[in-house]
Amino acid sequence: MKSSNHEGRIIHKLFRGSMLVMTMAFAMATLGMLVDGIVVGKFMGSVCVSALGLCSPLFLIASAIGGAFAEGALPVCNRAMAEGDQKGAAAAFCLSVDIIVVFAIILSALCFIFRGEAAHILGAADATGALFVNTKAYITGFLFGIPAILGALLLTPFAQADGDQSSTIASIMAMTISNIALDFINVFSLKWGMLGIGLGTALSYYIGIIILATHFFKKDASYHFNLLSVNIQDAGEILLTGLPGAVGRLLLPFRTIILNHLTLAVGGGAALTAFAVQNSVSTFAVSPVLGIGAATLMMSSLLYGEEDRYGLEIMMRYSFRMAFLINGIIAVFIFAASGAIASLFVSEIDKAYEITKEAVRFYSLIIFFDSANGVYSNHLQAIGALKIAGFLNVLNTLVCATAFSFIFTPFMGAKGVWAAYLVGEICVTVITIIISIIREKNVSTRLGDYLFLPRDFRIDIDDELNRTITNIEEVSALSKAAGVFCKSHGADSKTAQAISLAVEELASNVLLHGFDKKVKEPSVDLRLIKKGDTFTVRIRDDAQSFNVAKYAELISKERDDPTKELGIRLVVGLGAKLNYVSTLNTNNLIITYQPKSTI
């Protein structure tokens, strides 16, 4: 059944909030590295810029591990939350923290023991040369921050999912400001060279994560630190869900290493500097791509857990719209300002300036396709389409760009590497569409047919009612629509009346008492479905936090006024199961029951 004209209002709001905070998180986290590159380029010379570029895979590896656990644990926790299993979600969170602590210790130790060998692998071949010395020095300082980097990447999306934007933003701001300050202290006071740059980045992450961790000690937080409150059985699902992202992220540094060597071979030191600058710019400019992808992961896993195909379609349309709009604007800006951006890293009289400007321009052309691929990749992980997600990630992060680089560089030189990125992203987008068409055996114009949802996930549109209301005058019509839906789908009169009254009372209470008077357009979403013999009602609002399920227990035991909250009493009396979940600053009440008889 068709929705109201307010469709997707809450979904859009939740997506925008998640997108903005996660984009800011990625932007501020990488802004420190961008400032590192600018400070190093202006005050320490092009050799140090090249050394910093060679070390970028280390950050990518740390990001791969931290991001993979976040991408694995968050969908598992969100799906548990959607089912009302808050204890299960909390246990999965604690287990992911335990595992990531172990990984962080192991990775830090390996980096310290083999830092000289790592410098060789990253591209600094001459053990007595300045490039090797500076690369090894940066690795030595940076590795101490690996535990904090991994922890920040895991905790940030959980704090956001729990609705705590203030701690997230404070953490990000503190980390960025301290990183910039420590860079300048190193250059003008300590003069520790690349060792100081690496240590500054490491220390800034510890400052950030200390602030972020305060959220998980709050009483009203859904997730708390409890290293012993875990369910080891969740480990397999967490690791498996995060595997596609982990594969893609871990292959990314290997691609960078391979292309560093190739760029140096075909273009020399100037081309390597240009490639390092392109990587620095992309690390920061890709933040909206990553932020939109993270919001997609968060929202897709929640809506998938609710089996809400309709909501998924709304969310994915909005996700693509935001990706194309925001990243399109960024692409135009980078292309137009390529010369100014290049001059931040390389002097205009340096021989590397022109090729650096060219590399930046090429990158601006990549963003549009990268954003589309990022949205799809995160959605596929969220819904458990892990094989196709892993396959596309391998193509995107390693195979396509690397293969086209070796094809193009013999006759294009270093330009072949820049062009290979663009062609590789386009290929991944095309391959994704082709796979979807083959799977569906149909060329469709409907986005929902390209979401790779399971066959049994598809509820017929006639078996689902979706409505959004924004004022008290619409409550009566919403209640009536719910009752009509139930009767038309086989529910007896008592059941239909009970759910109709429950919807009326719950929606009325939210609109009358749940919102601050300053809120101009409050929203209440109703989703009512019939699946088999089971009716499921989900009422979602973004009002003040209120656990209706606990309130229903209290009401059902009250004897003084049997007419109080009659709708809730009738639903409970029918033996309905009530689950309440608070996530992303929304109240979600899920009512599930099977009518005892049908008409």
Side-chain angles (χ1 to χ4, degrees), residues 228-426:
L228 300 179
S229 178
V230 299
N231 183 357
I232 198 64
Q233 294 178 347
D234 291 329
E237 187 177 3
I238 291 173
L239 294 174
L240 191 61
T241 303
L243 185 60
V247 170
R249 290 170 182 264
L250 288 171
L251 289 177
L252 193 58
F254 290 104
R255 182 187 73 183
T256 304
I257 292 170
I258 293 170
L259 296 184
N260 274 339
H261 285 282
L262 181 61
T263 302
L264 184 62
V266 300
L272 183 60
T273 299
F275 190 43
V277 171
Q278 186 192 66
N279 283 332
S280 295
V281 173
S282 67
T283 299
F284 180 73
V286 80
S287 297
V289 175
L290 299 175
I292 292 169
T296 302
L297 178 80
M298 194 175 297
M299 293 297 297
S300 283
S301 58
L302 179 64
L303 295 169
Y304 183 78
E306 296 175 352
E307 296 188 352
D308 189 354
R309 177 187 176 88
Y310 173 79
L312 277 170
E313 290 190 36
I314 290 176
M315 187 277 298
M316 287 297 287
R317 282 200 302 269
Y318 194 70
S319 179
F320 279 115
R321 192 188 312 162
M322 290 294 100
F324 295 150
L325 175 62
I326 295 173
N327 292 293
I329 293 172
I330 293 173
V332 171
F333 172 79
I334 291 176
F335 188 88
S338 58
I341 293 172
S343 66
L344 290 173
F345 298 86
V346 181
S347 171
E348 294 185 19
I349 61 174
D350 194 302
K351 64 179 182 179
Y353 172 75
E354 287 299 327
I355 191 172
T356 299
K357 183 170 68 172
E358 187 177 66
V360 172
R361 283 184 175 176
F362 260 102
Y363 173 71
S364 70
L365 304 176
I366 298 169
I367 300 177
F368 187 84
F369 294 96
D370 190 25
S371 61
N373 294 331
V375 166
Y376 251 119
S377 176
N378 282 275
H379 166 71
L380 291 172
Q381 279 188 255
I383 67 171
L386 304 180
K387 291 182 180 179
I388 183 65
F391 173 71
L392 293 174
N393 278 340
V394 171
L395 288 181
N396 193 25
T397 54
L398 180 65
V399 175
C400 289
T402 304
F404 283 116
S405 291
F406 281 100
I407 293 172
F408 293 161
T409 51
F411 59 90
M412 294 180 66
K415 295 179 183 179
V417 177
W418 324 149
Y421 275 98
L422 175 60
V423 176
E425 290 286 355
I426 294 172

Side-chain angles (χ1 to χ4, degrees), residues 3 10 42 74 96 151 188 191 196 211 218 229 234 245 250-251 287-288 371 376 418 459-460 489 543 546 555 593:
S3 69
I10 293 180
K42 290 295 184 183
L74 188 62
S96 65
F188 294 109
K191 301 184 186 299
I211 295 173
K218 296 178 180 177
S229 178
D234 291 329
L250 288 171
L251 289 177
S287 297
S371 61
Y376 251 119
W418 324 149
I459 297 173
D460 190 281
H489 286 75
F546 179 63
I555 289 296
Y593 60 93

Side-chain angles (χ1 to χ4, degrees), residues 545-565:
S545 180
F546 179 63
N547 190 332
V548 181
K550 284 188 176 180
Y551 181 66
E553 289 182 13
L554 296 176
I555 289 296
S556 64
K557 296 175 183 178
E558 189 174 303
R559 303 300 181 187
D560 295 338
D561 185 2
T563 64
K564 185 178 181 181
E565 308 288 4

Side-chain angles (χ1 to χ4, degrees), residues 4 83 104 115 145 195 235-236 321 358 394 422 510 592-593:
S4 70
E83 296 171 358
R115 59 192 187 280
L195 173 64
R321 192 188 312 162
E358 187 177 66
V394 171
L422 175 60
V510 170
T592 306
Y593 60 93

Side-chain angles (χ1 to χ4, degrees), residues 446-473:
R446 182 184 177 187
L447 178 60
D449 293 330
Y450 294 90
L451 297 184
F452 294 90
L453 296 172
R455 305 294 180 188
D456 59 356
F457 191 84
R458 304 183 178 187
I459 297 173
D460 190 281
I461 192 170
D462 292 328
D463 291 331
E464 182 174 12
L465 173 68
N466 291 281
R467 293 286 175 89
T468 298
I469 61 171
T470 59
N471 58 70
I472 195 68
E473 288 76 19

